[in-house]
Amino acid sequence: YFISHAHLDHLSGLVMNSPNDSNKYIYAVPEVISILKTHYFTWKSWANFSNEGEAPALKKYQYVPLRPLVDIPVHGTKLSVTAFPLCHSNPYESTAFLVNNAGNQLLYLGDTGPDSIEHCNRLQDLWKAVAGQIRSHQLKGIFIELSFPDEQPDQQLFGHLTPRWLMQELQTLATLVGVSNLQQVKIFITHIKPGGQAEERIRQQLKKRNTLGLQFYFPRQGERIQL
């Protein structure tokens, strides 16, 4: 498991299903691992299915701390992963994961807001870090959140994106790599907040704003994705 941050909408399934899960490694930055150890996998709130923290440790999960910008191998696979920090509504942080498989790569972003709203440069730094892989066509797909339709006020984004802000960030990326190169990358929309016709509005707004001609996909749970 690659865990981007410790908010419950990203952890509750892992915690609730842990009794019936198989042994696995959990990859996350140290701050996220610390929250798992002290708030979720404890005997006061659930049970400690991990290899650290409150005794007895059941050792179903083994924590693997990630250092930002350091590529490390993924146990039992041919993959490697690099973590990049993201801004997610101060003081919280999130993580992006660049996953490599024999030179073919995908980029998954946890929750993030636009740099201009978050008053940081994390997305800009991430785009610069992966620009070379996009130009060389090694990066096949980007999974990025788009939580709200454009009607959501900027002061109520809480570290998330809208179609307008996503296209602004992708325009920044296109400036670095060239529009034609970015058009070769499949972009998967994740983390749409439930309620009303939010997804349909997001689809329509994104289509209208997609002046770059990018490939957008809305994956479904259980769907197998070919990159």
Coordinates of all heavy atoms in Angstrom, one line a residue, residues 54-148:
E54 N 2.1 -0.2 19.7 CA 1.6 -0.8 21.0 C 1.7 -2.3 20.9 O 1.4 -2.9 19.8 CB 0.1 -0.5 21.2 CG -0.1 1.0 21.7 CD -1.5 1.3 22.0 OE1 -2.3 0.3 21.9 OE2 -1.8 2.4 22.4
A55 N 2.2 -2.9 22.0 CA 2.3 -4.4 22.1 C 0.9 -4.9 22.5 O 0.1 -4.3 23.2 CB 3.3 -4.8 23.1
P56 N 0.6 -6.1 22.0 CA 1.3 -6.9 21.0 C 1.1 -6.4 19.6 O 0.0 -6.1 19.2 CB 0.8 -8.3 21.2 CG -0.7 -8.1 21.6 CD -0.6 -6.8 22.4
A57 N 2.2 -6.4 18.8 CA 2.2 -6.1 17.4 C 1.9 -7.3 16.6 O 2.7 -8.3 16.7 CB 3.5 -5.4 17.0
L58 N 0.8 -7.4 15.8 CA 0.5 -8.6 15.1 C 1.3 -8.8 13.8 O 1.2 -9.9 13.3 CB -1.0 -8.5 14.8 CG -2.0 -8.4 16.0 CD1 -3.4 -8.4 15.6 CD2 -1.7 -9.5 17.0
K59 N 1.9 -7.7 13.3 CA 2.9 -7.8 12.3 C 2.3 -8.3 10.9 O 3.0 -8.8 10.1 CB 4.1 -8.8 12.6 CG 4.8 -8.3 13.9 CD 6.0 -9.2 14.2 CE 6.7 -8.7 15.5 NZ 7.8 -9.6 15.8
K60 N 1.0 -8.0 10.7 CA 0.4 -8.2 9.4 C 1.0 -7.2 8.4 O 1.2 -7.5 7.2 CB -1.1 -8.2 9.5 CG -1.8 -8.3 8.1 CD -3.3 -8.5 8.3 CE -3.7 -9.8 8.8 NZ -5.1 -10.1 8.7
Y61 N 1.1 -6.0 8.9 CA 1.6 -4.9 8.0 C 3.0 -4.5 8.5 O 3.3 -4.4 9.7 CB 0.7 -3.7 8.0 CG -0.7 -4.0 7.5 CD1 -1.8 -3.6 8.3 CD2 -0.9 -4.6 6.3 CE1 -3.1 -3.9 7.9 CE2 -2.2 -4.8 5.9 CZ -3.3 -4.5 6.7 OH -4.5 -4.7 6.2
Q62 N 3.9 -4.2 7.5 CA 5.2 -3.7 7.9 C 5.4 -2.3 7.3 O 5.2 -2.1 6.1 CB 6.3 -4.7 7.3 CG 7.7 -4.2 7.6 CD 8.8 -5.3 7.3 OE1 8.5 -6.5 7.3 NE2 9.9 -4.9 6.9
Y63 N 5.7 -1.4 8.1 CA 5.9 0.0 7.7 C 7.2 0.2 7.0 O 8.3 -0.3 7.4 CB 5.9 1.0 8.9 CG 4.6 1.0 9.6 CD1 4.5 0.8 11.0 CD2 3.4 1.3 9.0 CE1 3.3 0.9 11.7 CE2 2.2 1.4 9.7 CZ 2.1 1.2 11.0 OH 1.0 1.2 11.7
V64 N 7.2 0.9 5.9 CA 8.4 1.3 5.1 C 8.4 2.8 5.0 O 7.6 3.3 4.2 CB 8.4 0.6 3.7 CG1 9.7 1.0 3.0 CG2 8.3 -0.9 3.8
P65 N 9.2 3.5 5.7 CA 9.2 4.9 5.6 C 9.9 5.4 4.3 O 10.9 4.8 3.9 CB 10.1 5.4 6.8 CG 10.9 4.2 7.1 CD 10.1 3.0 6.8
L66 N 9.3 6.4 3.7 CA 9.8 7.0 2.5 C 10.4 8.4 2.8 O 9.9 9.2 3.6 CB 8.6 7.2 1.5 CG 7.9 5.9 1.0 CD1 6.7 6.3 0.2 CD2 8.9 5.1 0.2
R67 N 11.5 8.6 2.1 CA 12.2 9.9 2.1 C 11.8 10.6 0.8 O 12.0 10.0 -0.2 CB 13.7 9.8 2.3 CG 14.1 9.4 3.7 CD 15.5 8.9 3.7 NE 16.4 9.9 3.1 CZ 17.6 9.6 2.6 NH1 18.1 8.4 2.7 NH2 18.4 10.6 2.0
P68 N 11.4 11.9 0.9 CA 11.0 12.6 -0.3 C 12.2 12.6 -1.3 O 13.4 12.7 -1.0 CB 10.7 14.0 0.2 CG 10.2 13.8 1.6 CD 11.1 12.7 2.1
L69 N 11.8 12.4 -2.6 CA 12.7 12.4 -3.7 C 13.7 11.3 -3.8 O 14.7 11.3 -4.6 CB 13.5 13.8 -3.8 CG 12.7 15.1 -3.5 CD1 13.5 16.3 -3.7 CD2 11.5 15.1 -4.5
V70 N 13.6 10.3 -3.0 CA 14.5 9.1 -3.0 C 13.7 7.9 -3.6 O 12.7 7.5 -3.0 CB 15.0 8.8 -1.6 CG1 15.9 7.5 -1.6 CG2 15.8 10.0 -1.0
D71 N 14.3 7.3 -4.6 CA 13.6 6.2 -5.3 C 14.1 4.9 -4.5 O 15.2 4.7 -4.3 CB 14.1 6.1 -6.7 CG 13.4 5.0 -7.5 OD1 12.1 5.1 -7.6 OD2 14.1 4.1 -8.1
I72 N 13.1 4.1 -4.1 CA 13.4 2.9 -3.4 C 12.6 1.7 -4.0 O 11.6 1.9 -4.6 CB 13.0 3.0 -1.9 CG1 11.5 3.0 -1.7 CG2 13.7 4.2 -1.2 CD1 11.1 2.8 -0.3
P73 N 13.2 0.5 -3.9 CA 12.5 -0.7 -4.5 C 11.3 -1.0 -3.7 O 11.2 -0.8 -2.5 CB 13.6 -1.8 -4.4 CG 14.5 -1.3 -3.4 CD 14.5 0.2 -3.4
V74 N 10.3 -1.6 -4.3 CA 9.1 -2.1 -3.7 C 9.2 -3.6 -3.4 O 9.4 -4.4 -4.4 CB 7.8 -1.8 -4.5 CG1 6.6 -2.3 -3.8 CG2 7.7 -0.3 -4.8
H75 N 9.1 -4.0 -2.2 CA 9.4 -5.4 -1.8 C 8.5 -6.4 -2.7 O 7.3 -6.2 -2.9 CB 9.0 -5.6 -0.3 CG 10.0 -5.0 0.6 ND1 9.9 -3.7 1.0 CD2 11.1 -5.4 1.2 CE1 10.8 -3.3 1.8 NE2 11.6 -4.4 2.0
G76 N 9.2 -7.4 -3.1 CA 8.5 -8.5 -3.8 C 8.0 -8.2 -5.2 O 7.2 -9.0 -5.8
T77 N 8.4 -7.1 -5.8 CA 8.0 -6.7 -7.1 C 9.2 -6.2 -7.9 O 10.3 -6.1 -7.4 CB 7.0 -5.5 -7.1 OG1 7.6 -4.3 -6.7 CG2 5.9 -5.8 -6.0
K78 N 9.0 -5.8 -9.1 CA 10.0 -5.2 -10.0 C 9.9 -3.7 -10.0 O 10.5 -3.0 -10.7 CB 10.0 -5.7 -11.4 CG 10.3 -7.2 -11.5 CD 10.2 -7.7 -13.0 CE 10.4 -9.2 -13.1 NZ 10.3 -9.7 -14.5
L79 N 9.0 -3.2 -9.1 CA 8.7 -1.7 -9.1 C 9.6 -1.0 -8.2 O 10.3 -1.6 -7.3 CB 7.3 -1.5 -8.6 CG 6.1 -2.2 -9.3 CD1 4.8 -2.0 -8.5 CD2 6.0 -1.8 -10.7
S80 N 9.7 0.3 -8.4 CA 10.3 1.2 -7.4 C 9.4 2.4 -7.3 O 8.5 2.7 -8.2 CB 11.7 1.7 -7.9 OG 11.7 2.4 -9.1
V81 N 9.5 3.2 -6.2 CA 8.7 4.3 -6.0 C 9.4 5.5 -5.4 O 10.4 5.3 -4.6 CB 7.5 3.9 -5.0 CG1 8.0 3.5 -3.6 CG2 6.5 5.0 -4.9
T82 N 9.1 6.7 -5.8 CA 9.6 7.9 -5.3 C 8.5 8.8 -4.8 O 7.5 8.9 -5.4 CB 10.4 8.7 -6.4 OG1 11.3 7.9 -7.0 CG2 11.0 9.9 -5.8
A83 N 8.7 9.3 -3.6 CA 7.7 10.2 -2.9 C 8.0 11.6 -3.2 O 9.1 12.0 -3.1 CB 7.6 9.9 -1.4
F84 N 6.9 12.4 -3.4 CA 7.1 13.9 -3.6 C 6.0 14.5 -2.6 O 4.9 14.1 -2.6 CB 6.8 14.3 -5.0 CG 7.8 13.8 -6.0 CD1 7.6 12.5 -6.6 CD2 8.9 14.6 -6.3 CE1 8.5 12.1 -7.5 CE2 9.8 14.1 -7.3 CZ 9.6 12.8 -7.9
P85 N 6.4 15.5 -1.9 CA 5.5 16.2 -1.0 C 4.5 17.1 -1.7 O 4.9 17.7 -2.7 CB 6.4 17.0 0.0 CG 7.6 17.3 -0.9 CD 7.8 16.1 -1.7
L86 N 3.3 17.2 -1.2 CA 2.2 18.0 -1.8 C 1.6 18.9 -0.7 O 1.6 18.4 0.5 CB 1.1 17.2 -2.4 CG 1.5 16.3 -3.6 CD1 0.3 15.4 -4.0 CD2 1.9 17.1 -4.8
C87 N 1.1 20.0 -1.0 CA 0.4 20.9 0.0 C -1.1 20.5 0.0 O -1.7 20.4 -1.1 CB 0.6 22.3 -0.4 SG 2.3 22.9 -0.2
H88 N -1.6 20.3 1.1 CA -3.0 19.9 1.3 C -3.7 20.6 2.4 O -4.0 20.1 3.5 CB -3.1 18.4 1.5 CG -4.5 17.8 1.7 ND1 -5.6 18.3 1.0 CD2 -5.0 16.8 2.4 CE1 -6.7 17.7 1.3 NE2 -6.4 16.8 2.2
S89 N -3.9 22.0 2.3 CA -4.5 22.8 3.2 C -3.7 22.9 4.5 O -3.9 22.0 5.4 CB -6.0 22.3 3.5 OG -6.7 23.2 4.4
N90 N -2.9 23.9 4.6 CA -2.1 24.1 5.8 C -2.8 23.7 7.1 O -3.9 24.2 7.3 CB -1.5 25.5 5.9 CG -0.2 25.6 5.2 OD1 0.5 24.6 5.0 ND2 0.2 26.8 4.9
P91 N -2.1 23.0 8.0 CA -0.7 22.6 8.0 C -0.5 21.2 7.5 O 0.5 20.6 7.7 CB -0.4 22.6 9.5 CG -1.7 22.2 10.2 CD -2.8 22.8 9.3
Y92 N -1.6 20.6 6.9 CA -1.5 19.2 6.4 C -0.7 19.1 5.1 O -0.6 20.0 4.3 CB -2.9 18.7 6.2 CG -3.7 18.7 7.4 CD1 -4.8 19.6 7.5 CD2 -3.5 17.9 8.5 CE1 -5.6 19.7 8.7 CE2 -4.3 17.9 9.6 CZ -5.3 18.8 9.7 OH -6.1 18.9 10.8
E93 N 0.0 18.0 5.0 CA 0.7 17.7 3.7 C 0.2 16.3 3.2 O -0.4 15.5 3.9 CB 2.2 17.6 4.0 CG 2.8 18.9 4.2 CD 4.4 18.8 4.2 OE1 4.9 17.7 4.1 OE2 5.0 19.9 4.1
S94 N 0.4 16.1 1.9 CA 0.0 14.9 1.2 C 1.2 14.5 0.5 O 2.3 15.0 0.5 CB -1.2 15.2 0.3 OG -1.6 14.0 -0.3
T95 N 1.1 13.4 -0.3 CA 2.2 12.8 -1.0 C 1.8 12.4 -2.4 O 0.7 11.9 -2.7 CB 2.7 11.5 -0.3 OG1 2.9 11.8 1.1 CG2 4.1 11.1 -0.8
A96 N 2.7 12.6 -3.4 CA 2.6 12.0 -4.7 C 3.6 10.9 -4.8 O 4.7 10.9 -4.3 CB 2.9 13.1 -5.8
F97 N 3.2 9.9 -5.6 CA 4.1 8.7 -5.8 C 4.3 8.5 -7.3 O 3.4 8.4 -8.1 CB 3.4 7.4 -5.3 CG 3.1 7.5 -3.8 CD1 1.7 7.6 -3.4 CD2 4.1 7.4 -2.8 CE1 1.4 7.7 -2.0 CE2 3.8 7.4 -1.5 CZ 2.5 7.5 -1.1
L98 N 5.6 8.5 -7.6 CA 6.0 8.2 -9.0 C 6.5 6.7 -8.9 O 7.5 6.3 -8.3 CB 7.2 9.1 -9.4 CG 7.7 8.8 -10.8 CD1 6.6 9.2 -11.9 CD2 9.0 9.6 -11.1
V99 N 5.7 5.9 -9.6 CA 5.9 4.4 -9.6 C 6.6 4.0 -10.9 O 6.1 4.4 -12.0 CB 4.6 3.6 -9.4 CG1 4.9 2.1 -9.4 CG2 3.9 4.1 -8.2
N100 N 7.7 3.3 -10.8 CA 8.5 2.9 -12.0 C 8.5 1.4 -12.2 O 8.7 0.7 -11.2 CB 9.9 3.4 -11.9 CG 10.8 3.1 -13.1 OD1 10.6 3.7 -14.1 ND2 11.7 2.2 -12.9
N101 N 8.3 1.0 -13.4 CA 8.3 -0.4 -13.8 C 9.2 -0.6 -15.1 O 8.6 -0.4 -16.2 CB 6.9 -1.0 -14.0 CG 7.0 -2.5 -14.3 OD1 8.0 -3.2 -14.2 ND2 5.8 -3.0 -14.8
A102 N 10.4 -0.9 -14.9 CA 11.3 -1.1 -16.0 C 11.3 0.1 -17.0 O 11.3 -0.1 -18.2 CB 11.0 -2.4 -16.7
G103 N 11.3 1.3 -16.5 CA 11.3 2.5 -17.3 C 9.9 3.0 -17.7 O 9.8 4.2 -18.2
N104 N 8.9 2.3 -17.4 CA 7.5 2.8 -17.6 C 7.0 3.3 -16.3 O 7.1 2.6 -15.3 CB 6.6 1.6 -18.2 CG 7.1 1.2 -19.5 OD1 7.1 2.0 -20.5 ND2 7.4 -0.1 -19.7
Q105 N 6.4 4.4 -16.3 CA 6.0 5.1 -15.1 C 4.6 5.6 -15.0 O 4.0 5.8 -16.1 CB 7.0 6.3 -14.8 CG 8.4 5.9 -14.8 CD 9.4 7.1 -14.6 OE1 9.0 8.2 -14.9 NE2 10.6 6.9 -14.2
L106 N 4.1 5.7 -13.8 CA 2.8 6.3 -13.6 C 3.0 7.2 -12.4 O 3.8 7.0 -11.5 CB 1.6 5.4 -13.4 CG 1.5 4.5 -12.2 CD1 0.9 5.2 -11.0 CD2 0.7 3.3 -12.5
L107 N 2.2 8.3 -12.3 CA 2.3 9.3 -11.2 C 0.9 9.3 -10.6 O -0.1 9.6 -11.2 CB 2.7 10.6 -11.8 CG 2.7 11.8 -10.8 CD1 3.9 11.6 -9.8 CD2 2.9 13.1 -11.5
Y108 N 0.9 9.1 -9.3 CA -0.3 9.2 -8.5 C -0.2 10.3 -7.5 O 0.8 10.4 -6.7 CB -0.6 7.9 -7.7 CG -1.8 8.0 -6.7 CD1 -3.1 7.9 -7.1 CD2 -1.5 8.4 -5.4 CE1 -4.1 8.1 -6.2 CE2 -2.6 8.6 -4.5 CZ -3.9 8.4 -4.9 OH -4.9 8.6 -4.0
L109 N -1.1 11.3 -7.5 CA -1.1 12.4 -6.5 C -2.2 12.1 -5.5 O -3.4 11.9 -5.8 CB -1.4 13.7 -7.2 CG -0.3 14.3 -8.1 CD1 -0.2 13.6 -9.4 CD2 -0.4 15.8 -8.2
G110 N -1.8 12.2 -4.2 CA -2.8 12.3 -3.2 C -3.5 13.7 -3.2 O -3.3 14.4 -4.2
D111 N -4.3 14.0 -2.2 CA -5.0 15.2 -2.2 C -4.0 16.4 -2.3 O -3.0 16.4 -1.7 CB -5.8 15.4 -0.9 CG -6.9 14.4 -0.8 OD1 -7.1 13.6 -1.8 OD2 -7.6 14.4 0.2
T112 N -4.4 17.4 -3.1 CA -3.6 18.6 -3.2 C -4.5 19.8 -3.7 O -5.4 19.6 -4.4 CB -2.5 18.4 -4.2 OG1 -1.6 19.5 -4.3 CG2 -3.0 18.1 -5.6
G113 N -4.1 20.9 -3.3 CA -4.7 22.1 -3.8 C -3.8 22.8 -4.8 O -2.6 22.4 -4.9
P114 N -4.3 23.8 -5.5 CA -3.4 24.6 -6.4 C -2.3 25.4 -5.7 O -2.6 25.9 -4.5 CB -4.4 25.5 -7.1 CG -5.5 25.6 -6.2 CD -5.6 24.3 -5.5
D115 N -1.2 25.5 -6.3 CA -0.1 26.2 -5.6 C -0.5 27.6 -5.2 O -0.1 28.1 -4.1 CB 1.1 26.3 -6.5 CG 2.0 25.0 -6.5 OD1 1.7 24.1 -5.7 OD2 2.9 24.9 -7.4
S116 N -1.2 28.3 -6.0 CA -1.5 29.7 -5.7 C -2.4 29.9 -4.5 O -2.3 30.8 -3.8 CB -2.1 30.4 -6.9 OG -3.3 29.8 -7.4
I117 N -3.3 28.9 -4.3 CA -4.2 28.9 -3.2 C -3.5 28.4 -1.9 O -3.7 28.9 -0.8 CB -5.4 28.1 -3.4 CG1 -6.2 28.6 -4.6 CG2 -6.3 28.0 -2.2 CD1 -6.8 30.0 -4.4
E118 N -2.6 27.4 -2.1 CA -1.9 26.8 -1.0 C -0.7 27.6 -0.5 O -0.1 27.3 0.5 CB -1.5 25.4 -1.3 CG -2.6 24.4 -1.5 CD -3.4 24.1 -0.3 OE1 -2.8 23.9 0.8 OE2 -4.7 24.2 -0.4
H119 N -0.3 28.6 -1.4 CA 0.9 29.4 -1.1 C 2.1 28.5 -1.0 O 2.9 28.6 0.0 CB 0.7 30.3 0.1 CG -0.5 31.1 0.1 ND1 -0.7 32.2 -0.8 CD2 -1.7 31.1 0.7 CE1 -1.8 32.8 -0.7 NE2 -2.5 32.1 0.3
C120 N 2.3 27.6 -1.9 CA 3.5 26.8 -2.0 C 3.9 26.5 -3.4 O 3.2 27.0 -4.3 CB 3.2 25.5 -1.2 SG 2.1 24.4 -2.1
N121 N 4.9 25.8 -3.6 CA 5.4 25.5 -5.0 C 5.5 24.0 -5.2 O 6.3 23.5 -6.1 CB 6.8 26.1 -5.2 CG 6.7 27.6 -5.1 OD1 5.9 28.2 -5.8 ND2 7.6 28.2 -4.4
R122 N 4.8 23.2 -4.4 CA 4.9 21.7 -4.5 C 4.5 21.1 -5.9 O 5.2 20.3 -6.4 CB 4.1 21.1 -3.4 CG 4.7 21.4 -2.0 CD 6.0 20.8 -1.7 NE 6.7 21.2 -0.5 CZ 6.3 20.8 0.7 NH1 5.3 19.9 0.9 NH2 7.0 21.2 1.8
L123 N 3.4 21.6 -6.4 CA 3.0 21.1 -7.7 C 4.0 21.6 -8.8 O 4.4 20.8 -9.7 CB 1.6 21.6 -8.1 CG 0.5 20.8 -7.4 CD1 -0.9 21.4 -7.7 CD2 0.5 19.3 -7.8
Q124 N 4.5 22.8 -8.7 CA 5.5 23.3 -9.7 C 6.7 22.4 -9.6 O 7.3 22.0 -10.6 CB 5.8 24.7 -9.4 CG 6.9 25.3 -10.2 CD 6.5 25.7 -11.6 OE1 5.3 25.7 -11.9 NE2 7.5 26.0 -12.5
D125 N 7.1 22.1 -8.4 CA 8.3 21.3 -8.2 C 8.1 19.9 -8.7 O 9.0 19.3 -9.3 CB 8.7 21.2 -6.7 CG 9.2 22.5 -6.2 OD1 9.6 23.4 -7.0 OD2 9.2 22.7 -4.9
L126 N 6.9 19.3 -8.5 CA 6.6 18.0 -9.0 C 6.6 18.0 -10.6 O 7.2 17.1 -11.2 CB 5.2 17.6 -8.5 CG 4.7 16.2 -9.0 CD1 5.7 15.1 -8.6 CD2 3.3 15.9 -8.5
W127 N 6.0 19.0 -11.2 CA 6.0 19.1 -12.6 C 7.4 19.1 -13.2 O 7.7 18.5 -14.2 CB 5.2 20.2 -13.1 CG 3.7 20.3 -12.7 CD1 3.0 21.4 -12.5 CD2 2.8 19.2 -12.5 NE1 1.7 21.2 -12.1 CE2 1.6 19.8 -12.1 CE3 2.9 17.8 -12.6 CZ2 0.4 19.0 -11.8 CZ3 1.8 17.1 -12.3 CH2 0.6 17.7 -11.9
K128 N 8.2 19.9 -12.6 CA 9.6 20.0 -13.0 C 10.3 18.6 -12.9 O 11.1 18.2 -13.7 CB 10.4 21.0 -12.2 CG 9.9 22.5 -12.6 CD 10.7 23.5 -11.7 CE 10.3 24.9 -12.0 NZ 11.0 25.9 -11.2
A129 N 10.0 17.9 -11.8 CA 10.7 16.6 -11.6 C 10.3 15.6 -12.6 O 11.1 14.7 -12.9 CB 10.4 16.1 -10.1
V130 N 9.1 15.6 -13.1 CA 8.6 14.6 -14.0 C 8.6 15.0 -15.5 O 8.3 14.2 -16.4 CB 7.2 14.0 -13.6 CG1 7.2 13.5 -12.2 CG2 6.2 15.1 -13.8
A131 N 9.0 16.2 -15.7 CA 9.0 16.8 -17.1 C 9.8 15.9 -18.1 O 9.4 15.7 -19.2 CB 9.5 18.2 -17.1
G132 N 11.0 15.5 -17.6 CA 11.8 14.7 -18.5 C 11.2 13.4 -18.9 O 11.3 13.0 -20.1
Q133 N 10.5 12.8 -17.9 CA 9.9 11.5 -18.2 C 8.7 11.6 -19.2 O 8.4 10.7 -19.9 CB 9.4 10.8 -16.9 CG 10.6 10.3 -16.0 CD 11.0 11.4 -15.0 OE1 11.1 12.6 -15.3 NE2 11.2 10.9 -13.8
I134 N 8.0 12.8 -19.1 CA 6.9 13.0 -20.0 C 7.5 13.3 -21.4 O 7.0 12.7 -22.4 CB 6.1 14.2 -19.6 CG1 5.3 13.9 -18.3 CG2 5.0 14.6 -20.7 CD1 4.5 15.0 -17.7
R135 N 8.5 14.1 -21.5 CA 9.1 14.3 -22.9 C 9.7 13.1 -23.5 O 9.7 12.9 -24.7 CB 10.2 15.4 -22.7 CG 9.7 16.8 -22.5 CD 10.7 17.9 -22.7 NE 11.8 17.7 -21.7 CZ 11.8 18.5 -20.5 NH1 10.9 19.4 -20.3 NH2 12.8 18.3 -19.7
S136 N 10.2 12.1 -22.7 CA 10.7 10.9 -23.2 C 9.7 9.8 -23.3 O 10.0 8.7 -23.7 CB 11.9 10.4 -22.3 OG 11.4 10.1 -21.0
H137 N 8.4 10.1 -23.0 CA 7.3 9.2 -23.1 C 7.4 8.0 -22.2 O 6.8 7.0 -22.5 CB 7.0 8.8 -24.5 CG 6.9 9.9 -25.5 ND1 5.9 10.8 -25.5 CD2 7.7 10.4 -26.5 CE1 6.0 11.7 -26.4 NE2 7.1 11.5 -27.0
Q138 N 8.1 8.1 -21.1 CA 8.2 7.1 -20.1 C 7.0 7.2 -19.1 O 6.5 6.1 -18.7 CB 9.5 7.2 -19.3 CG 10.7 6.9 -20.0 CD 12.0 7.1 -19.2 OE1 12.3 8.3 -18.9 NE2 12.6 6.1 -18.7
L139 N 6.5 8.4 -18.9 CA 5.4 8.5 -17.9 C 4.1 8.3 -18.7 O 3.7 9.1 -19.6 CB 5.4 9.9 -17.3 CG 4.3 10.2 -16.3 CD1 4.3 9.2 -15.1 CD2 4.4 11.7 -15.8
K140 N 3.4 7.2 -18.4 CA 2.2 6.8 -19.2 C 0.9 7.4 -18.7 O -0.1 7.5 -19.4 CB 2.1 5.3 -19.2 CG 3.4 4.6 -19.6 CD 3.8 5.0 -21.1 CE 5.1 4.2 -21.5 NZ 5.5 4.5 -22.8
G141 N 0.8 7.6 -17.4 CA -0.5 8.1 -16.8 C -0.3 8.9 -15.5 O 0.7 8.7 -14.8
I142 N -1.2 9.8 -15.3 CA -1.2 10.6 -14.1 C -2.6 10.5 -13.5 O -3.6 10.7 -14.1 CB -1.0 12.1 -14.4 CG1 0.4 12.3 -15.0 CG2 -1.2 13.0 -13.2 CD1 0.6 13.8 -15.5
F143 N -2.6 10.1 -12.2 CA -3.8 10.0 -11.4 C -3.9 11.2 -10.5 O -3.0 11.4 -9.6 CB -3.9 8.7 -10.6 CG -4.0 7.5 -11.4 CD1 -2.9 7.0 -12.1 CD2 -5.2 6.8 -11.4 CE1 -3.1 5.8 -12.9 CE2 -5.4 5.7 -12.2 CZ -4.3 5.2 -12.9
I144 N -4.8 12.1 -10.7 CA -4.9 13.4 -10.0 C -6.3 13.7 -9.5 O -7.3 13.4 -10.2 CB -4.3 14.5 -10.9 CG1 -4.1 15.8 -10.0 CG2 -5.2 14.8 -12.1 CD1 -3.3 16.8 -10.7
E145 N -6.4 14.2 -8.3 CA -7.7 14.5 -7.7 C -8.3 15.7 -8.4 O -7.7 16.6 -8.9 CB -7.5 14.8 -6.2 CG -6.9 16.1 -5.9 CD -7.8 17.0 -5.0 OE1 -7.8 16.8 -3.8 OE2 -8.5 17.8 -5.6
L146 N -9.7 15.7 -8.4 CA -10.5 16.8 -8.8 C -11.7 16.7 -7.9 O -12.7 16.0 -8.3 CB -10.8 16.7 -10.3 CG -11.1 18.0 -11.0 CD1 -11.2 17.8 -12.5 CD2 -12.4 18.7 -10.4
S147 N -11.7 17.4 -6.8 CA -12.8 17.1 -5.8 C -14.1 17.8 -6.0 O -15.1 17.3 -5.7 CB -12.2 17.5 -4.4 OG -11.1 16.7 -4.0
F148 N -14.0 19.0 -6.5 CA -15.2 19.9 -6.6 C -15.4 20.5 -7.9 O -14.5 20.7 -8.7 CB -15.1 21.0 -5.6 CG -14.9 20.6 -4.1 CD1 -13.7 20.8 -3.5 CD2 -16.0 20.1 -3.4 CE1 -13.5 20.5 -2.2 CE2 -15.8 19.7 -2.1 CZ -14.6 19.9 -1.5

